[in-house]
Amino acid sequence: MKYTQSEKSLEQMVLKKNSITPKKIFITIVLALAFIALVIALLQIGKDNSQIPISKKFDLSDNDEVLITGKALTDPTLQQAYAIDNTNNHIYVVQITNAGQKLGGETRTYNSAERSIKGDLTVTKLSTDGTILGKMYLTGFGHGVSIGVEPVGTTAYLWTEVDAVADRHEPNNGFGTKLARFPFVDNQVLVNTDPSITKYAPVAGADRTTVNLDMANGLLTMRYRLNETLFHFSVFNLSDVKAGNFKPLATVDQPAGLGVFQGFTSYGSYLYLLDGTASNANTNPNGNTYITTVNLNTGLQVDRAMINAGNSLLFREPEGMAIQSTGSSVRLTFGFGAYRSSTDTRKHANIYYKDALISGK
């Protein structure tokens, strides 16, 4: 077949138009890179919550100070967590309920293992110098990893985990599946089905639920697990949760590489995590207790430091964190359970703090 001159010209124009040239390759690459950058930016926007106003953060290199040390609680068991009522100047400490007690309508006593699986907790109300002011018992609540306190006038509403179930990975412990709010009532035995308890499930399908309140900023932080895998932290306006609005301001993953998790607290735009295991002043005075700081708006770990506070204690196990406000000062507090003496393994409560704040990012 022969082509006319005009037909050849037309064919050449079509071939030229459809040919792949270096210029077209360059433009394609540029457009592809721009698209990838846009996708990454959009994903980052979703991860960068940036709904919590940027606050100062605690300087983990600051010296440690003593709040209380060597204080007995209602039961001789290890402190699990605590919360500080900064309005009425009280401390509320939770423990696994001691063995051998018959509480409320119970028909028999329970041993330590049974109390732990059931999720039975003892709450001790202390003054800020560690004097016992009252007690309360919670049955069927959880392990007491973290709690919060919301003062309403002179009444303290405690926030805890509730409706404990035994974890198949830790079958000897019961952990909460919801959050609970209820007033502290001295000498009360509160069963987890009592109508005075308001229950919340801010994250569908969550288990291992624990809670902390940042009353200075009106925030509630919940730690929880999904699908029996990773732990997460979601921050809500406290007023929203109480109104049944469960839209979080921020959600971050628990950082990898932590030791045994022992508690958490938040202040402003930063989350503080406590991890470590028991140590002994005679054999391992430095221990392995760490505090880790996480930016709630980005999910990034921004600090991590070993904590040497209380390294002269016998059986020094990190347990619990809370924020204390005293006048114009704000304190990052963290606790340790310890033996009463070298011959008395009943436990004492100990709380230390750091109060130096530095600029956040």
Side-chain angles (χ1 to χ4, degrees), residues 163-283:
D163 294 347
V165 296
D167 188 286
R168 69 186 184 92
H169 301 289
E170 294 185 47
N172 295 325
N173 295 311
F175 296 93
T177 53
K178 296 183 182 70
L179 302 185
R181 178 183 184 266
F182 54 90
F184 176 86
V185 178
D186 191 24
N187 287 315
Q188 183 181 16
V189 178
L190 185 65
V191 180
N192 66 332
T193 55
D194 192 281
S196 68
I197 303 169
T198 304
K199 298 181 181 180
Y200 304 89
V203 179
D207 67 359
R208 300 285 292 264
T209 55
T210 50
V211 64
N212 177 268
L213 300 185
D214 172 5
M215 290 304 301
N217 295 285
L219 301 176
L220 178 150
T221 301
M222 184 174 92
R223 179 180 184 255
Y224 58 95
R225 187 180 65 174
L226 289 175
N227 302 317
E228 296 188 1
T229 53
L230 297 178
F231 282 91
H232 313 275
F233 298 84
S234 287
V235 184
F236 306 83
N237 280 317
L238 175 60
S239 58
D240 286 348
V241 173
K242 291 167 65 176
N245 176 11
F246 301 141
K247 182 179 180 181
L249 301 175
T251 295
V252 300
D253 298 335
Q254 180 170 300
L258 301 185
V260 176
F261 191 85
Q262 299 284 15
F264 70 98
T265 192
S266 71
Y267 181 70
S269 59
Y270 291 93
L271 174 70
Y272 301 90
L273 313 176
L274 182 70
D275 69 269
T277 54
S279 59
N280 190 295
N282 296 325
T283 58

Side-chain angles (χ1 to χ4, degrees), residues 81-201:
Y82 62 93
I84 301 176
D85 177 346
N86 292 304
T87 298
N88 300 296
N89 295 318
H90 297 142
I91 304 172
Y92 294 86
V93 187
V94 291
Q95 315 161 261
I96 301 297
T97 300
N98 196 36
Q101 303 181 73
K102 188 186 294 185
L103 303 175
E106 293 176 347
T107 57
R108 66 176 180 90
T109 62
Y110 292 88
N111 62 36
S112 296
E114 289 174 318
R115 290 292 186 194
S116 185
I117 293 172
K118 285 168 81 271
D120 296 346
L121 300 172
T122 300
V123 182
T124 303
K125 178 182 179 179
L126 302 173
S127 66
T128 51
D129 67 3
T131 302
I132 294 178
L133 302 175
K135 66 181 183 296
M136 186 176 184
Y137 297 96
L138 315 176
T139 62
F141 278 69
H143 196 62
V145 175
S146 181
I147 66 170
V149 58
E150 176 194 357
V152 179
T154 58
T155 300
Y157 283 85
L158 299 183
W159 287 76
T160 69
E161 62 195 284
V162 73
D163 294 347
V165 296
D167 188 286
R168 69 186 184 92
H169 301 289
E170 294 185 47
N172 295 325
N173 295 311
F175 296 93
T177 53
K178 296 183 182 70
L179 302 185
R181 178 183 184 266
F182 54 90
F184 176 86
V185 178
D186 191 24
N187 287 315
Q188 183 181 16
V189 178
L190 185 65
V191 180
N192 66 332
T193 55
D194 192 281
S196 68
I197 303 169
T198 304
K199 298 181 181 180
Y200 304 89

